[in-house]
Amino acid sequence: MEKNMDRRTFLSYLGTGAAALAAASAGLGVLEGKASAMSPTADHLFGFKTNKVSGYFEPIQASKEDQLLLPKGYRYDVVAAFDDVINAAGEKFGQGSDYNAYFPIDGSNTHGLLVNNHEYTNIFALGPVKDGKKSKEQTDKDLYYQGMSVIEVFQDDKGTWKMDTTSKHARRINGFTKFEFTGPAKGSAILKNASTAQGTFANCSGGVTLWNTVLSCEENFSELATEAGLPLTHYGWVVEIDPFDGSFLKKHTALGRFNHENTAMGLTADGRVVVYMGDDKKDACVYKFVTKGKYVPASGRQNSELLADGTLYVANLKSGKWVAVTYEALSKVIGDAKFKAPAGVKGTREELQRMFQSQADVVTNVHEAALILGGTPTDRPEDVEISPFDNTVFISHTNNDNHGNIHGHITRIFEKGNDLGATEFDFEIFIAGGRQSGFSSPDNLAFDSNGNLWVVTDISTSSMHKGVHTSFMNNGLFVVPTHGAAKAQAMQFASAPTDAELTGPFFTPDERTLFLSVQHPGENTTDLAKPTSLWPHRQGDTKARCGVVAISGFKLG
């Protein structure tokens, strides 16, 4: 393959269909023409039952405009934006719009429930924070506007996507909602003997389960938990909700507590559930959880109980091994008289022995436990996705200036024997951010049914348009084929408004619609009278509003 591929050649490879994926890379062998030849994953896409999206588009150029820009022939509808009323009770759409997951109603591609995460708030929700200390009213707003929204959406006869505010399912899940703990830390001393927790917040990305529920990830939770006087150990977990059942609310402690970004669920060769996860901070690790029991499709939502019992692993990239994060292994390492804490772990041997006295302590302090056991510190591992075509695992490492990794990269893991339950693996740097690829700081990922990886970027607003980030302009959405002659060649599909990042790409099953969040437009605003963005540019509006859009214009072929 030539290194320099012109636009026409690139476009000729987009949308060629799964049948054209002749072989997987790195010696994985010839595919059977359909993704269904692989073991099932809880992919948030199409199910491989419909025609495939053609993917043809004329790539756009990087931009500084305060607009959501798309290729010619595509359009978007703002489905819901910050502070919009979502139901008859008057509940309002939250702030920090992030992950999306679409659930069809009666199998429809144009009518369903949309789950949206709300990661954090800013000046447009709270107003100015005086002397760096929030008032109780502001803290209560923080708790309210973070969390999740479940909304009902539909496409009208003119093709416009809208929100149905009369929906019986529409609701907010936030910092005041009661959750039940599951797993080894439930009722333990480190959780203050609690079996329930108040609320979820700092909800970043997530994933869909094999049984059609949503896993949502609590990421940067410490500040709000402290301000609200809530126990820190009650946050930083993976939570599970059922979009169609408001009473189903769980926090799964067996999956570990850290700065969760997202989840990706699949099956091992012997039928157990595996969940891949990233820890979004500098020098943090990559994880997977493998259940003890096997997935039973006929059991439906009861399979959720599998997430309470299993083994949590951390990746050691140097050895290519998944290391079990267990109390037995940890106590053995710390018990060695010659033990010295590795970089990133504070405390003497005696202090760490007191810190870790059970598996409940281990799952609650996973970051330290993983490093002690040999987990490899990486560069902000954010989104993780399992390729539905070949069971390889893609991980966005956004960046880490501690390691000189300014623009980030995407890692691809090859599990031994192509088994997601393997304890050994190999890996490659699939694509690196930088001038050569045209993007910086990869974040959320999604696959389409042609094997293309959709990648959004997260250049911080403090770095945007400055220094080595100047050429990338605003954040964007890029399409990168994972197979074929155009493999690892990126083209830009969307450009975000001022200060914003694009998050949570999620297709309807027929791939005619892509849901996408526009997060924190105008984030650099310090004076409400002078907002740096006014997206979505509603008539008479004086503030920027994050929100979720539905992108149309995809052609089937």
Side-chain angles (χ1 to χ4, degrees), residues 17-241:
L21 299 177
S25 61
L28 287 177
V30 176
L31 293 174
E32 297 180 24
K34 294 183 178 180
S36 55
M38 307 310 299
S39 63
T41 62
D43 210 286
H44 47 265
L45 301 178
F46 30 78
F48 313 105
K49 296 177 182 177
T50 62
N51 288 332
K52 312 307 180 192
V53 130
S54 71
Y56 288 97
F57 67 95
E58 182 72 14
I60 68 171
Q61 299 298 314
S63 170
K64 290 184 177 180
E65 287 189 57
D66 184 30
Q67 298 286 349
L68 174 58
L69 301 178
L70 303 173
K72 182 179 179 180
Y74 293 82
R75 60 181 290 265
Y76 72 87
D77 302 310
V78 178
V79 180
F82 162 62
D83 233 17
D84 285 350
V85 173
I86 67 170
N87 58 20
E91 292 184 299
K92 295 183 176 181
F93 197 72
Q95 200 175 46
S97 187
D98 203 302
Y99 176 73
N100 294 293
Y102 174 82
F103 292 81
I105 292 177
D106 297 327
S108 175
N109 289 294
T110 59
H111 180 206
L113 297 185
L114 186 69
V115 178
N116 183 266
N117 278 356
H118 302 298
E119 186 177 2
Y120 64 97
T121 58
N122 61 28
I123 191 171
F124 297 116
L126 305 182
V129 177
K130 295 181 180 179
D131 302 321
K133 184 175 177 60
K134 294 174 187 171
S135 66
K136 183 182 184 304
E137 180 184 5
Q138 288 175 317
T139 299
D140 286 345
K141 284 184 177 180
D142 238 348
L143 292 169
Y144 178 81
Y145 281 118
Q146 294 186 41
M148 308 170 73
S149 287
V150 178
I151 61 175
E152 188 165 333
V153 297
F154 67 97
Q155 193 174 29
D156 68 17
D157 55 7
K158 295 181 180 179
T160 301
W161 280 91
K162 297 178 179 179
M163 175 170 52
D164 181 0
T165 58
T166 67
S167 171
K168 65 180 181 181
H169 297 294
R171 64 190 184 278
R172 286 297 318 283
I173 301 162
N174 57 29
F176 298 103
T177 307
K178 186 177 179 179
F179 279 79
E180 177 190 353
F181 283 118
T182 76
K186 179 179 180 178
S188 65
I190 198 166
L191 295 192
K192 300 184 182 298
N193 304 315
S195 59
T196 63
Q198 176 190 314
T200 186
F201 43 82
N203 299 75
C204 193
S205 189
V208 174
T209 68
L210 292 161
W211 45 92
N212 222 35
T213 61
V214 171
L215 298 180
S216 178
C217 295
E218 298 174 341
E219 189 186 5
N220 296 311
F221 56 88
S222 298
E223 182 178 337
L224 180 52
T226 301
E227 291 169 344
L230 297 169
L232 279 175
T233 57
H234 287 196
Y235 308 95
W237 304 104
V238 173
V239 308
E240 183 179 8
I241 70 144

Side-chain angles (χ1 to χ4, degrees), residues 227-537:
E227 291 169 344
L230 297 169
L232 279 175
T233 57
H234 287 196
Y235 308 95
W237 304 104
V238 173
V239 308
E240 183 179 8
I241 70 144
D242 184 338
F244 294 94
D245 182 356
S247 67
F248 188 82
L249 299 156
K250 299 185 181 296
K251 293 196 178 194
H252 293 298
T253 68
L255 274 62
R257 173 178 167 269
F258 44 89
N259 296 86
H260 284 278
E261 171 76 15
N262 91 314
T263 68
M265 182 177 286
L267 286 179
T268 65
D270 65 0
R272 291 172 294 151
V273 174
V274 58
V275 183
Y276 290 88
M277 300 168 287
D279 184 359
D280 182 14
K281 65 178 179 179
K282 296 177 183 179
D283 304 329
C285 302
V286 176
Y287 301 88
K288 75 175 180 182
F289 174 81
V290 181
T291 62
K292 181 179 180 181
K294 294 183 179 181
Y295 172 61
V296 180
S299 296
R301 200 178 70 183
Q302 287 184 339
N303 284 288
S304 173
E305 296 174 7
L306 296 170
L307 300 181
D309 190 7
T311 303
L312 183 65
Y313 295 90
V314 65
N316 183 311
L317 297 178
K318 184 176 181 179
S319 66
K321 293 183 179 180
W322 290 101
V323 181
V325 185
T326 64
Y327 171 68
E328 290 74 20
L330 193 68
S331 58
K332 183 177 180 180
V333 172
I334 299 177
D336 188 330
K338 297 180 180 180
F339 169 79
K340 291 185 179 180
V345 177
K346 297 179 181 179
T348 65
R349 174 171 169 264
E350 291 74 19
E351 287 171 335
L352 291 169
Q353 284 180 316
R354 289 193 294 271
M355 180 179 181
F356 294 105
Q357 297 187 29
S358 68
Q359 187 63 19
D361 297 333
V362 171
V363 296
T364 306
N365 297 293
V366 167
H367 180 74
E368 293 82 0
L371 292 174
I372 290 171
L373 289 169
T376 301
T378 66
D379 300 340
R380 291 184 60 202
E382 294 209 41
D383 212 290
V384 186
E385 296 294 337
I386 305 167
S387 169
F389 295 95
D390 58 20
N391 260 7
T392 56
V393 181
F394 290 75
I395 306 166
S396 279
H397 292 277
T398 297
N399 52 46
N400 187 349
D401 54 7
N402 290 347
H403 298 167
N405 188 358
I406 307 303
H407 298 301
H409 63 273
I410 298 175
T411 302
R412 187 182 196 179
I413 285 180
F414 302 85
E415 295 281 25
K416 186 175 182 179
N418 201 33
D419 179 7
L420 299 183
T423 56
E424 297 182 29
F425 63 90
D426 199 354
F427 75 96
E428 68 181 18
I429 303 301
F430 172 70
I431 188 172
R435 290 179 63 91
Q436 79 288 344
S437 59
F439 67 83
S440 175
S441 306
D443 195 335
N444 299 151
L445 307 174
F447 278 98
D448 68 26
S449 55
N450 288 316
N452 301 315
L453 191 64
W454 294 67
V455 183
V456 296
T457 62
D458 182 14
I459 303 170
S460 69
T461 52
S462 61
S463 298
M464 202 179 296
H465 309 307
K466 300 175 184 177
V468 297
H469 292 94
T470 302
S471 65
F472 304 104
M473 300 194 187
N474 290 357
N475 280 306
L477 168 62
F478 296 78
V479 181
V480 185
T482 60
H483 297 277
K487 176 185 174 184
Q489 303 286 316
M491 288 286 171
Q492 188 163 356
F493 181 85
S495 177
T498 301
D499 298 344
E501 61 173 302
L502 303 176
T503 57
F506 199 105
F507 286 97
T508 52
D510 64 358
E511 295 180 83
R512 288 182 180 270
T513 300
L514 173 65
F515 292 104
L516 187 69
S517 291
V518 177
Q519 190 183 71
H520 59 70
E523 184 177 51
N524 281 333
T525 298
T526 56
D527 182 350
L528 286 171
K530 300 176 181 178
T532 59
S533 169
L534 284 175
W535 191 89
H537 300 284

